[in-house]
Amino acid sequence: NAGVTQTPKFQVLKTGQSMTLQCAQDMNHNSMYWYRQDPGMGLRLIYYSASEGTTDKGEVPNGYNVSRLNKREFSLRLESAAPSQTSVYFCASREGLGIYNEQFFGPGTRLTVL
Amino acid sequence: AQTVTQSQPEMSVQEAETVTLSCTYDTSENNYYLFWYKQPPSRQMILVIRQEAYKQQNATENRFSVNFQKAAKSFSLKISDSQLGDTAMYFCAFMKPTDSWGKLQFGAGTQVVVTP
């Protein structure tokens, strides 16, 4: 099992460019999440997908869109990147609802917007 | 809204010694869940320990234990017999039971450095 995989690991963009961060999990989990991590702020939830076919906004959704392509894959799109979106992005997945289910995280994508 | 505060940006400890990380939170909920996550230099987030607020007994996982003080809204993590592999950023996180789809509120983190 690879767990949660993310591509790319690193990316540099210019302001205004667009890109999609890819996430896939092989654990047959229902729920998937996108977080961003900024220095001194911990992780903040951008979007989540409780199950295939559904997506909802988290704490900081502005400037992002997501697609739950199928049960395995959950992508995050930046339509017009801004320097404020420079961050480390983490994808996570979870078996389903219920507090006992642990979230498993991917290795992260470090994004720099110039 | 809940807030999670970790007041120690960085802590240093020698191998085999004990270190305690503090976490306080603010909530009006009576029942909730608390977690400690570890993020080593590899950036991989790993769940260390979890605590349910309705349980009086403090959770333990091998060398990791918590001191949960519900009235004080405090949830500290103790790492005993520290090892070099414990060097990591540690995050405290809070979850309401109504957020059963898994919304975690994270603190800013504490960097732990274990020295030989």
Side-chain angles (χ1 to χ4, degrees), chain B residues 25 27 30 32 53 56 68-75:
Chain B
Y25 55 92
T27 184
N30 186 51
Y32 45 86
Q56 300 283 351
F68 173 49
Q69 301 289 328
K70 190 173 184 180
K73 296 181 182 176
S74 170
F75 182 59

Side-chain angles (χ1 to χ4, degrees), chain B residues 67-81:
Chain B
N67 182 6
F68 173 49
Q69 301 289 328
K70 190 173 184 180
K73 296 181 182 176
S74 170
F75 182 59
S76 61
L77 175 70
K78 185 169 79 172
I79 307 173
S80 303
D81 185 26

Side-chain angles (χ1 to χ4, degrees), chain B residues 77-96:
Chain B
L77 175 70
K78 185 169 79 172
I79 307 173
S80 303
D81 185 26
S82 296
Q83 300 175 0
L84 294 177
D86 295 333
T87 292
M89 183 75 85
Y90 288 81
F91 293 96
C92 179
F94 174 101
M95 187 171 77
K96 294 190 298 184

Side-chain angles (χ1 to χ4, degrees), chain A residues 99-112:
Chain A
I99 60 95
Y100 296 104
N101 291 321
E102 177 184 342
Q103 284 192 32
F104 291 85
F105 287 80
T109 294
R110 183 176 293 278
L111 175 66
T112 302

Side-chain angles (χ1 to χ4, degrees), chain A residues 9 33 35 37 40 42-43 45 48 59 88 90 94 97-100 102-103 105-110, chain B residues 33 35 37 39 42-45 47 50 52 54 91 95-97 100-108:
Chain A
K9 286 188 168 44
Y33 310 82
Y35 293 89
Q37 182 180 17
L43 277 74
L45 183 66
Y48 71 99
E59 197 179 339
V88 180
F90 287 94
R94 189 167 180 247
L97 302 183
I99 60 95
Y100 296 104
E102 177 184 342
Q103 284 192 32
F105 287 80
T109 294
R110 183 176 293 278
Chain B
Y33 305 91
F35 306 84
Y37 277 86
Q39 186 181 43
S42 67
R43 294 205 308 242
Q44 191 80 41
M45 293 283 285
L47 178 65
R50 80 183 104 198
E52 294 143 334
Y54 63 85
F91 293 96
M95 187 171 77
K96 294 190 298 184
S100 61
W101 47 264
K103 181 178 186 297
L104 293 169
Q105 188 82 28
F106 285 90

Side-chain angles (χ1 to χ4, degrees), chain A residues 16-45:
Chain A
Q17 287 185 318
S18 62
M19 80 160 295
T20 300
L21 279 63
Q22 306 286 354
C23 173
Q25 51 90 9
D26 62 1
M27 296 175 282
N28 202 35
H29 285 171
N30 290 305
S31 302
M32 297 185 74
Y33 310 82
W34 276 105
Y35 293 89
R36 61 177 288 171
Q37 182 180 17
D38 301 297
M41 299 192 74
L43 277 74
R44 293 180 292 168
L45 183 66

